[in-house]
Amino acid sequence: MTTQFIGPHPWPVIGKKLYARGPRVAAIAFLGADGPDLLRHLRDGDTLVVNASKEAVASHSTSPHAIETLIGRGVEVLSSPKLHAKVMVTAEMAVIGSANASAHSAQSLEAVVVTDDPAMVENARDFVIDVAADANTIDDELLAELHQVWIDHPRAPVPGVNGGSAEWGLLPDHVAGVLLVPVVADDLAESEREAMAGEVEQTPEYPIFGFQLGDDSDGYQVDAVLLRYEDGYIHEPTVVFGDVRRPIPGRADGAYQLLRHKHRQRGRRASRVASELSAGVVEEFDAALAADDDVMLSDELAEQVLRVWGLVVGERD
């Protein structure tokens, strides 16, 4: 018999353990869009309990798309709105710890205990079975409701669940493009800025702030890098942290998104940035600035511009 403590990135080990002989039962509070891949060994005859409450789906902590994928594999998926545990059990072992089934959890600092102690395995299995007995079956009708909740509510980032932990660095693993964005003067009051910043967990190194959008704007893709510029000055790089939110706090209208930047990282004069680019992309850079509109930069130009701030796509700053 063995009992192991696994951290800080246990998902590779969890995946191997779930490959063991089933049937498998699991109670994992939050199931992200990448959950079916992390739980790829769950199949027909296995049971999974998640927190698929409307609140969890509205915050995009649990994905109805992921639920639908697992149901399509033959997995029985149930919902327990009070669930916060993360327990996975096969025929011979149990995994107990902090890890949700999401890509962001896979990137966060997590810890689990893996054991094949028969008494522990039995207790863990009994726990999941008891939770499942009081859980709600996710049928087609409920699944359709959850899909609509997902659509109706922009993502509210929850570090370690559905939004990247700020401690990992400024750039996400997969940057959704780098855009030059002209800045239009906003009319936000200081109290409104504070209310926006107070909506999410803040960390000193990578503070988050609200960026007012135009009335006709659809916003920017989450994990895109925005290089906001005005009067020949390019502000520090920011990363889009969440979907469009409406209305502006304290108002009946208006829209905004949350952006994240690195503390004490400063902007640059456009001429200074251009001086550090290769001759092959300077013309593209000048044309993007002259467009006076949002411009998606080519991969080559984006890489060179970000290097001006010491940022490298695919690496942590």
Side-chain angles (χ1 to χ4, degrees):
M1 292 186 297
T2 59
T3 298
Q4 297 175 284
F5 176 88
I6 308 294
H9 304 296
W11 267 108
V13 174
I14 295 173
K16 292 178 181 178
K17 298 304 181 182
L18 291 180
Y19 185 70
R21 183 168 61 90
R24 302 159 191 81
V25 296
I28 305 174
F30 302 119
L31 178 72
D34 299 273
D37 182 57
L38 293 171
L39 301 174
R40 57 189 173 278
H41 300 305
L42 295 190
R43 55 181 71 109
D44 189 25
D46 295 337
T47 299
L48 173 65
V49 187
V50 299
N51 179 346
S53 63
K54 291 183 178 179
E55 291 79 10
V57 174
S59 70
H60 288 208
S61 299
T62 293
S63 164
H65 308 280
I67 293 173
E68 188 170 24
T69 297
L70 289 171
I71 291 176
R73 290 184 195 166
V75 179
E76 181 186 22
V77 185
L78 308 166
S79 174
S80 174
K82 295 182 180 181
L83 181 64
H84 197 262
K86 295 87 179 175
V87 180
M88 292 155 268
V89 188
T90 69
E92 298 171 344
M93 65 186 60
V95 179
I96 306 165
S98 66
N100 291 300
S102 70
H104 292 295
S105 179
Q107 297 166 8
S108 298
L109 302 181
E110 305 278 15
V112 302
V113 170
V114 179
T115 182
D116 63 1
D117 179 276
M120 290 276 290
V121 173
E122 182 178 2
N123 289 339
R125 182 180 295 107
D126 289 345
F127 169 81
V128 177
I129 291 173
D130 287 346
V131 171
D134 292 330
N136 301 314
T137 299
I138 301 179
D139 56 19
D140 290 343
E141 182 179 356
L142 177 56
L143 189 59
E145 291 180 13
L146 297 179
H147 274 297
Q148 193 59 51
V149 170
W150 178 279
I151 292 170
D152 291 343
H153 293 79
R155 185 177 77 168
V158 182
V161 179
N162 70 354
S165 170
E167 297 300 336
W168 280 88
L170 178 63
L171 298 183
D173 283 331
H174 304 289
V175 171
V178 178
L179 295 90
L180 272 177
V181 176
V183 173
V184 178
D186 63 46
D187 62 353
L188 296 175
E190 190 59 33
S191 59
E192 293 170 334
R193 297 183 194 278
E194 292 176 357
M196 292 177 184
E199 292 177 348
V200 292
E201 180 180 341
Q202 295 280 351
T203 59
E205 186 67 15
Y206 301 100
I208 297 167
F209 65 96
F211 178 58
Q212 186 175 5
L213 300 171
D215 293 337
D216 57 348
S217 174
D218 294 326
Y220 301 95
Q221 186 173 348
V222 174
D223 289 341
V225 177
L226 304 188
L227 295 166
R228 299 161 299 127
Y229 69 92
E230 57 184 326
D231 299 328
Y233 182 83
I234 301 178
H235 295 276
E236 79 282 7
T238 59
V239 175
V240 180
F241 194 69
D243 290 321
V244 176
R245 298 187 175 201
R246 306 176 191 272
I248 289 173
R251 304 189 190 184
D253 56 10
Y256 64 100
Q257 283 186 277
L258 297 175
L259 306 183
R260 191 157 64 103
H261 68 107
K262 190 172 183 178
H263 182 55
R264 292 186 177 177
Q265 194 168 58
R266 297 183 178 181
R268 300 282 193 276
R269 299 295 302 179
S271 57
R272 166 69 186 280
V273 174
S275 70
E276 298 191 32
L277 303 178
S278 67
V281 298
V282 170
E283 185 176 343
E284 179 191 349
F285 179 69
D286 289 340
L289 288 174
D292 197 31
D293 198 0
D294 297 351
V295 176
M296 180 76 74
L297 305 186
S298 67
D299 291 345
E300 182 182 7
L301 177 55
E303 179 180 355
Q304 292 191 34
V305 170
L306 289 179
R307 281 186 182 276
V308 174
W309 281 273
L311 300 173
V312 180
V313 175
E315 297 181 8
R316 297 294 185 182
D317 60 314

